[in-house]
């Protein structure tokens, strides 16, 4: 009886020992599985699952960056550009894999066949994944048995066994793969969307966004530099676009004109400025427009003064530019000259000097004649303002008890002149009305001497020749 109890005890202990060894092997087998970075081994599912670094790491992203979990890693992107949350507890377009209790049968008594976990179908999620463990794979996930009996990495991208969506690019990694976006794109809501580089001032002036890139251009007046981003000013003046002067400006240019020209409506050519049309008083006589300037000309007998605008009389008598003979006397007046013949006194007058004739009192023929005739000449311009004092005469000899009368004896038929006595011995010839030339007027200005004490009455005459020149201005 005792033997039987001992045999029963040994049999029971043997069975328990077998179960313990099996459990230890199972535990050791589960610990021998390793996963790549970013994954951890799930003993229940018997496969590597992603680690959500956004939940497990303290403050994985700094500043105003938001953490977005990816299979095997995570991304930090600006919050303003991240329009859809990547957190697992937020709504998303792809369902998260689930593992219900009933999909894992009780295996406490061992495994009759290899276990295959219930994983989501291909295409269910936007991120990268890992291949499913086959029934007889001796290597860890993402590896396969090579010809030499070692485990080699499976290139899921080349084998097209990845789960990246069409907008993503598959990048093979050791034991897995990752889904990324090409340059010029970023991942938003599981889709690769074009980055609008123009929003971030990549170009100095003009920017055109294109799928996956951008193109910079410059405004008129600038050239794109070799960096394809910045612009430099074009010196348009090097091509001589202006007819006169050119001033380069930032992004453009400005044409200038020489003095006497004005810029045309096309902004590049210069037109002559007609200064003569500005005023009728630019020149005293005649204004002649010239390219970029003007000139004043004067009528014959005048020359242009130093100011370039006024006209001055040309004294032909002083310059010698006259036709008078040696016997004649050249007399200059405004705008011309005349040649005076030598003085000839008509009888009964005799020559007293080169400009004076006398009629002697002893000669009976001189009884009704003036005692002397003095010859004078003067010039007068047409249009002279009136009244104007133009000539003065006075007695050269004074006698006691005598007084003098001044009057115009002849030549004033048009009543253009009159005499105004300024004292008892002098008087002034006044121009009362304008005279239009050219004209020559001969006036006899008489001075009558009266002396009642000795009962004397006599006269003297100044024969004044007035050359009225034509008003040229």
């Amino acid at each position: 009886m005792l033997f039987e109890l001992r045999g029963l005890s040994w049999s029971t202990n043997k069975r328990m020992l077998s179960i313990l060894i099996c459990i230890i092997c199972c535990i050791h087998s589960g610990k021998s599985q390793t996963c790549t970075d970013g994954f951890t081994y799930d003993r229940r599912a018997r496969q590597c699952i992603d680690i959500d670094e956004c939940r497990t790491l303290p403050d994985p992203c700094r500043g105003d960056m938001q953490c977005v979990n990816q299979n095997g890693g995570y991304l930090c992107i600006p919050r303003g550009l991240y329009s859809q949350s990547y957190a697992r507890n937020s709504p998303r377009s792809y369902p998260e894999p689930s593992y219900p209790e009933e999909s894992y049968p009780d295996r406490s008594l061992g495994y009759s066949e290899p276990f295959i976990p219930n994983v989501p179908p291909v295409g269910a999620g936007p991120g990268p994944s890992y291949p499913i463990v086959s029934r007889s794979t001796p290597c860890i996930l993402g590896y396969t048995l090579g010809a030499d009996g070692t485990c080699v990495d499976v290139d899921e991208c080349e084998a097209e066994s990845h789960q990246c969506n069409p907008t993503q690019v598959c990048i093979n990694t050791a034991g897995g793969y990752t889904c990324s976006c090409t340059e010029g794109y970023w991942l938003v809501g599981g889709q690769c969307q074009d980055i609008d580089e123009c929003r971030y001032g990549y170009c100095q002036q003009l920017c055109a966004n294109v799928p996956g890139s951008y193109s910079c251009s410059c405004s008129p007046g600038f050239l794109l530099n070799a960096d394809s981003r910045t612009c430099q000013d074009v010196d348009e003046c090097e091509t001589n676009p202006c007819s006169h002067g050119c001033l380069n400006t930032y992004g453009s240019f400005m044409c200038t004109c020489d003095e006497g020209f004005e810029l045309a409506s096309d902004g590049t050519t210069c037109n002559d400025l007609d200064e003569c049309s500005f005023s009728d008083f630019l020149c005293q006589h005649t204004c002649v427009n010239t390219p970029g300037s003007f000139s004043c000309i004067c009528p014959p007998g005048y020359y242009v003064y130093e100011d370039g605008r006024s006209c001055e009389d040309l004294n032909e008598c002083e310059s010698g530019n006259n036709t008078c003979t040696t016997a004649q006397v050249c007399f200059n007046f405004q705008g011309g000259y005349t040649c005076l013949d030598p003085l000839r006194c008509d009888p009964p007058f005799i020559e007293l000097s080169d400009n004076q004739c006398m009629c002697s009192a002893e000669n009976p023929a001189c009884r009704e004649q003036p005692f002397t005739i003095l010859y004078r000449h003067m010039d007068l311009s047409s249009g002279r303002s009136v009244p104007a004092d133009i000539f003065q005469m006075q007695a050269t000899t004074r006698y006691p008890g005598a007084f003098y009368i001044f009057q115009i004896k002849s030549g004033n038929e048009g009543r253009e002149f009159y005499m105004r006595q300024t004292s008892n011995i002098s008087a002034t010839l006044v121009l009362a009305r304008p005279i239009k030339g050219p004209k020559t007027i001969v006036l006899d200005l008489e001075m009558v001497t009266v002396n009642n004490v000795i009962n004397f009455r006599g006269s003297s005459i100044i024969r004044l020749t007035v050359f009225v020149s034509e008003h040229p201005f």
Side-chain angles (χ1 to χ4, degrees):
M1 179 63 110
L2 182 60
F3 179 79
E4 291 178 357
L5 290 174
R6 289 180 177 178
L8 179 62
S9 176
W10 168 252
S11 176
T12 302
N13 291 337
K14 183 178 182 180
R15 180 179 297 177
M16 292 178 62
L17 182 60
S18 299
I19 294 173
L20 181 60
I21 292 174
C22 182
I23 292 173
I24 293 173
C25 291
C26 291
I27 293 174
H28 185 269
S29 176
K31 289 186 177 179
S32 64
Q33 291 288 344
T34 60
C35 301
T36 58
D37 293 340
F39 294 88
T40 185
Y41 186 75
D42 189 343
R43 291 188 301 165
R44 187 175 182 182
R46 300 182 65 186
Q47 71 172 7
C48 294
I49 63 173
D50 174 57
I51 299 174
D52 190 350
E53 292 85 356
C54 296
R55 289 185 176 183
T56 59
L57 296 179
D59 193 18
C61 297
R62 298 180 179 273
D64 193 27
M65 305 294 285
Q66 181 164 340
C67 179
V68 178
N69 187 58
Q70 299 284 299
N71 280 344
Y74 67 96
L75 296 175
C76 292
I77 64 175
R79 294 181 182 273
L81 302 177
Y82 180 58
S83 60
Q84 184 174 352
S85 176
Y86 277 76
R88 290 187 181 274
N89 58 355
S90 62
R92 54 191 294 166
S93 59
Y94 302 99
E96 183 180 0
S98 61
Y99 309 98
E101 292 293 333
E102 59 271 20
S103 63
Y104 303 95
D106 185 10
R107 300 298 185 187
S108 60
L109 299 179
Y111 294 86
S112 59
E113 59 183 4
F115 171 73
I116 301 176
N118 185 19
V119 296
V122 176
S129 183
Y130 282 81
I132 302 170
V133 181
S134 64
R135 294 174 181 247
S136 59
T137 302
C139 300
I140 63 173
L141 295 175
Y143 292 85
T144 185
L145 192 63
D148 57 356
T150 61
C151 294
V152 295
D153 175 56
V154 176
D155 190 347
E156 295 85 358
C157 300
E158 183 178 356
E160 296 185 356
S161 60
H162 60 83
Q163 297 181 19
C164 299
N165 64 51
T167 64
Q168 295 175 322
V169 176
C170 176
I171 301 175
N172 185 62
T173 61
Y177 65 93
T178 183
C179 299
S180 181
C181 297
T182 58
E183 185 179 1
Y185 293 85
W186 52 23
L187 190 66
V188 179
Q191 300 289 326
C192 291
Q193 294 187 5
D194 173 54
I195 299 175
D196 187 359
E197 295 86 354
C198 296
R199 295 178 57 186
Y200 304 101
Y202 285 5
C203 300
Q204 182 181 7
Q205 291 187 359
L206 305 178
C207 180
N209 186 58
V210 295
S213 185
Y214 63 96
S215 176
C216 296
S217 59
C218 299
S219 303
F222 294 88
L223 284 178
L224 194 64
N225 287 322
D227 60 5
S228 299
R229 292 182 58 188
T230 58
C231 300
Q232 65 175 346
D233 175 55
V234 176
D235 188 357
E236 295 87 353
C237 295
E238 292 181 352
T239 60
N240 299 320
C242 304
S243 59
H244 283 186
C246 181
L247 179 64
N248 186 59
T249 60
Y250 189 68
S252 184
F253 67 97
M254 183 174 62
C255 293
T256 59
C257 295
D258 297 338
E259 185 178 0
F261 293 86
E262 60 180 352
L263 198 63
S265 58
D266 60 3
T268 58
T269 58
C270 295
N271 294 332
D272 175 52
L273 199 62
D274 187 2
E275 296 87 353
C276 296
S277 63
F278 292 165
S279 173
D280 293 334
F281 304 100
L282 197 60
C283 296
Q284 186 176 7
H285 186 242
T286 303
C287 179
V288 178
N289 185 60
T290 58
S293 183
F294 69 96
S295 61
C296 297
I297 60 175
C298 297
Y302 295 85
Y303 68 95
V304 181
Y305 192 56
E306 295 176 354
D307 60 5
R309 301 185 180 188
S310 304
C311 291
E312 286 289 321
D313 173 57
L314 180 62
N315 193 331
E316 295 87 353
C317 297
E318 290 183 357
S319 64
N321 187 22
N322 59 76
T323 59
C324 298
T325 64
T326 55
Q328 294 176 318
V329 176
C330 180
F331 179 80
N332 183 73
F333 56 84
Q334 291 291 321
Y337 71 96
T338 185
C339 296
L340 303 177
D341 293 325
L343 179 63
R344 291 181 181 181
C345 298
D346 297 329
F349 288 90
I350 59 175
E351 183 177 346
L352 185 62
S353 64
D354 57 355
N355 66 341
Q356 189 174 14
C357 296
M358 182 186 69
C359 195
S360 178
E362 289 80 8
N363 188 348
C366 294
R367 191 177 299 273
E368 299 297 329
Q369 301 293 333
F371 179 66
T372 59
I373 300 177
L374 182 65
Y375 290 86
R376 291 281 189 248
H377 305 83
M378 67 171 294
D379 65 312
L380 184 66
S381 298
S382 297
R384 183 169 179 173
S385 58
V386 293
D389 297 344
I390 61 174
F391 190 80
Q392 187 175 18
M393 61 184 300
Q394 69 178 15
T396 57
T397 304
R398 298 184 63 181
Y399 298 99
F403 64 92
Y404 303 92
I405 301 173
F406 298 90
Q407 62 184 3
I408 302 175
K409 188 174 183 180
S410 64
N412 193 26
E413 290 78 10
R415 298 186 179 275
E416 294 94 351
F417 307 91
Y418 70 89
M419 294 293 295
R420 185 182 75 247
Q421 191 158 344
T422 55
S423 70
N424 59 342
I425 61 171
S426 63
T428 299
L429 177 65
V430 179
L431 176 66
R433 297 171 59 183
I435 301 177
K436 186 177 181 180
K439 181 185 292 187
T440 301
I441 301 175
V442 179
L443 297 175
D444 279 352
L445 307 180
E446 184 180 33
M447 182 184 70
V448 180
T449 304
V450 179
N451 193 332
N452 293 326
V453 176
I454 60 176
N455 195 20
F456 173 80
R457 184 182 180 93
S459 69
S460 296
I461 289 179
I462 296 179
R463 185 157 291 170
L464 180 65
T465 302
V466 181
F467 298 97
V468 182
S469 61
E470 183 180 5
H471 193 283
F473 316 119

